[in-house]
Amino acid sequence: MANFQEMAMFFAINNVEEHENNVPNERQTRNTEYISDPFILSDRLFIKNFRLTKDAVRYLIDLLRPHIIPNTRSSAIDLNTKIFSTLNFLATGSYQSPIGNSKFMVLSQPTVSRCISEVVAALNLPEIFQGWVRFPKNMSELSEIRNEFYKETGFPGIIGCVDCTHVAIVPPSTNLNLNENQYPEYIYVNRKGYHSINVQLICDSKLKILNVNALFPGSTHDIHVWNNSSILQTLQELHRRNHKDFFLLGDSGYPLRQWLLTPIANPTTNAEIYYNQRQMSSRSIIERCNGVLKMRFRCLLKDRTLHYKPEKASLIINACIVLHNICIANNVPLHEDEDEINNLGMIEDDAVLDDNHNINNRNIELTLGRKQRDRVPFPDLV
C-alpha cells in the first residue's frame, strides 16, 4: 500500500512539473496560442484581409527576407507577422491599433507602426521598386506594350495612358525644413479643399503601372508634374531618334504633343468626333487602373486619409504600387467589397487646354502634335 501511495505521489508531482513547464508565458502566448495562422484562411477571406493570394504573399516574404534584418531577441516580431500587419493596414486603411488587436497580429500600436515602416521601406528599395515598376527600356518592350494596347483598344501606337490622382493626407507640419516638410503646409491643399499628394500614374493595357511620381503636393498642376517626369525625357528622345509611332494618351488637361495625344477640344468633322470617342475610350484604362489600385489598397482612398508626413505618405503610395503590380502579374481577383467607392481622388481640370494652348511658345511641338494626331490610322474608320 505504501508503495502505491508513493507511486501516486510521484505521478502527481510529475504532472504538476509538466503543467508548469507547458504553461505559456505572456511572450509565448502572443506567438502561439492567440495568433491564428493567416494561411489557414479560405482563399476568399485571405484576399479580403491581405489583398494578395497566398502564393503571392509567400513570394513577397521571400522577396523581402534579405532586406529586413531579423531581430535576435526572443520577443522579436517575425517577418511573416510584419508583412501581414502591413498588408492588412494597406488593404483596409484602418488605424494601427485595430490592426494590432487583430487575432492575426496581437501587437501594440507602436509595434505595428515599426512593422509598417520596415516593410514599406523595403518595398521602396531600388532593387525591389525598380524591378516591379519600370517603363520599357528598349524597342522590343515598347513594341510589345504597343501591340497589347492595340489588341485591347484598336488604337494604334499607344504605349501607356497617363493621369494624376490625389491621395489624401493629414495637414503636414507648418515647420518648413528638410526634416519636417519641404513645402509650406498650404501647398498641399488641392482644388477640392483637402490636403493631398498629387500622384501621376502611367499604366499599360493590363492595368500594370509603368511609372509613378508621388512627390508633388496637392496644389501642383498635372502639367507641372508631367514636365518634371523622367518619362517625358524618354519620349522626347524616342521621337528625336525618329521612332514616332509611340505615344501616351492623356486628357484635355495635358498639352498636345507628338508623344502625348489629347482629345480635340471642339470636334467638327466625323473623323474628329470618331477620334475623340476612340481616344477617350482607350484612355479610360488609366481611370480603371486607378480604381483597381484604390479598391485594393484602401489606405489611398480620400475618406481614409494617410496620417503621415508627406515624405512617408509618398513611400506608402509607392509600396502600394509595387503590391498592385504583383497582383496584376499573379492575376489576383478583386475582393467584392460591400461599399461602393465613389471618390477615387481623380480631379478633373476645369482649365481644359485646347489646340491653341501654348506653353513656352512651343509652336513647332504643337504643330507636330496635331500632325501626329491627324495621321493616326484607324482600320475600322470608313
Side-chain angles (χ1 to χ4, degrees):
M1 186 69 178
N3 290 337
F4 175 79
Q5 290 178 342
E6 290 176 358
M7 290 293 295
M9 182 64 69
F10 171 79
F11 282 115
I13 294 173
N14 191 45
N15 287 336
V16 169
E17 290 177 344
E18 288 183 355
H19 176 72
E20 290 176 346
N21 290 334
N22 291 328
V23 171
N25 59 28
E26 182 179 355
R27 182 178 303 163
Q28 291 172 328
T29 299
R30 187 190 68 196
N31 291 328
T32 60
E33 183 177 348
Y34 294 143
I35 297 182
S36 299
D37 181 6
F39 284 112
I40 69 175
L41 288 172
S42 68
D43 292 341
R44 186 185 67 84
L45 288 178
F46 191 90
I47 294 175
K48 178 181 179 180
N49 282 280
F50 307 110
R51 294 308 192 250
L52 278 68
T53 61
K54 295 177 183 179
D55 286 342
V57 170
R58 291 188 183 99
Y59 163 80
L60 184 65
I61 291 170
D62 291 338
L63 179 68
L64 299 186
R65 181 174 285 111
H67 305 285
I68 296 181
I69 301 175
N71 197 309
T72 57
R73 293 183 295 114
S74 59
S75 61
I77 308 302
D78 63 278
L79 177 61
N80 288 23
T81 301
K82 291 179 180 179
I83 290 177
F84 278 121
S85 61
T86 302
L87 289 176
N88 194 228
F89 165 75
L90 298 177
T92 62
S94 177
Y95 291 104
Q96 294 175 355
S97 293
I99 298 296
N101 291 331
S102 164
K103 66 178 181 178
F104 301 117
M105 311 307 164
V106 194
L107 304 174
S108 66
Q109 181 274 324
T111 301
V112 174
S113 180
R114 288 193 294 270
C115 291
I116 293 172
S117 295
E118 284 187 63
V119 174
V120 166
L123 288 170
N124 276 268
L125 291 172
E127 53 266 43
I128 294 178
F129 183 80
Q130 294 176 9
W132 276 101
V133 185
R134 57 186 295 272
F135 198 76
K137 297 298 183 182
N138 54 58
M139 297 305 299
S140 176
E141 293 177 352
L142 285 169
S143 297
E144 181 180 355
I145 290 180
R146 182 179 63 178
N147 293 339
E148 290 296 330
F149 257 110
Y150 185 73
K151 292 177 184 177
E152 181 71 25
T153 67
F155 199 115
I158 310 173
I159 55 172
C161 297
V162 59
D163 206 350
C164 286
T165 186
H166 288 258
V167 174
I169 61 172
V170 295
S173 171
T174 56
N175 295 329
L176 188 59
N177 57 67
L178 294 178
N179 293 326
E180 293 288 338
N181 188 14
Q182 299 182 31
Y183 299 97
E185 173 270 334
Y186 67 88
I187 297 294
Y188 287 91
V189 180
N190 62 37
R191 291 188 298 104
K192 295 297 183 179
Y194 63 91
H195 295 77
S196 69
I197 304 291
N198 192 9
V199 184
Q200 178 182 274
L201 301 174
I202 300 175
C203 76
D204 68 10
S205 61
K206 298 178 180 178
L207 307 188
K208 180 181 179 181
I209 295 174
L210 306 175
N211 180 263
V212 56
N213 188 332
L215 299 176
F216 288 92
S219 66
T220 308
H221 197 284
D222 293 359
I223 295 178
H224 181 75
V225 181
W226 169 245
N227 286 338
N228 286 274
S229 170
S230 61
I231 304 304
L232 171 58
Q233 300 174 8
T234 299
L235 292 174
Q236 287 174 331
E237 181 62 25
L238 196 66
H239 279 253
R240 273 195 291 266
R241 297 187 180 187
N242 208 34
H243 300 294
K244 299 185 181 300
D245 292 329
F246 299 92
F247 46 79
L248 302 180
L249 294 186
D251 63 23
S252 298
Y254 289 93
L256 174 64
R257 295 291 182 264
Q258 289 176 278
W259 46 81
L260 178 55
L261 299 190
T262 61
I264 298 172
N266 298 296
T268 56
T269 67
N270 289 336
E272 290 177 343
I273 293 172
Y274 183 79
Y275 164 85
N276 269 9
Q277 291 173 344
R278 297 294 297 275
Q279 199 271 359
M280 294 176 187
S281 175
S282 301
R283 198 185 73 242
S284 66
I285 289 176
I286 186 64
E287 297 173 1
R288 190 161 73 249
C289 174
N290 179 60
V292 169
L293 171 66
K294 291 187 176 182
M295 280 190 285
R296 276 205 172 105
F297 303 106
R298 293 197 159 201
C299 67
L300 304 180
L301 285 172
K302 174 183 177 296
D303 295 333
R304 296 298 196 268
T305 306
L306 289 175
H307 289 251
Y308 297 93
K309 295 178 182 179
E311 294 77 13
K312 180 68 172 291
S314 295
L315 295 177
I316 291 174
I317 294 168
N318 286 344
C320 289
I321 301 296
V322 173
L323 296 172
H324 166 84
N325 282 352
I326 291 176
C327 289
I328 295 297
N330 288 274
N331 297 313
V332 179
L334 274 175
H335 172 72
E336 296 180 0
D337 292 288
E338 303 81 15
D339 302 327
E340 183 180 356
I341 298 175
N342 295 316
N343 192 336
L344 294 175
M346 301 190 85
I347 300 177
E348 294 294 332
D349 200 329
D350 296 331
V352 176
L353 301 182
D354 59 25
D355 287 354
N356 294 319
H357 179 80
N358 189 21
I359 299 178
N360 297 330
N361 296 318
R362 297 179 184 175
N363 291 319
I364 295 178
E365 291 184 353
L366 179 60
T367 300
L368 292 174
R370 288 174 180 164
K371 291 181 178 179
Q372 177 82 315
R373 186 170 64 186
D374 291 341
R375 69 185 182 89
V376 173
F378 292 116
D380 52 346
L381 180 57
V382 179

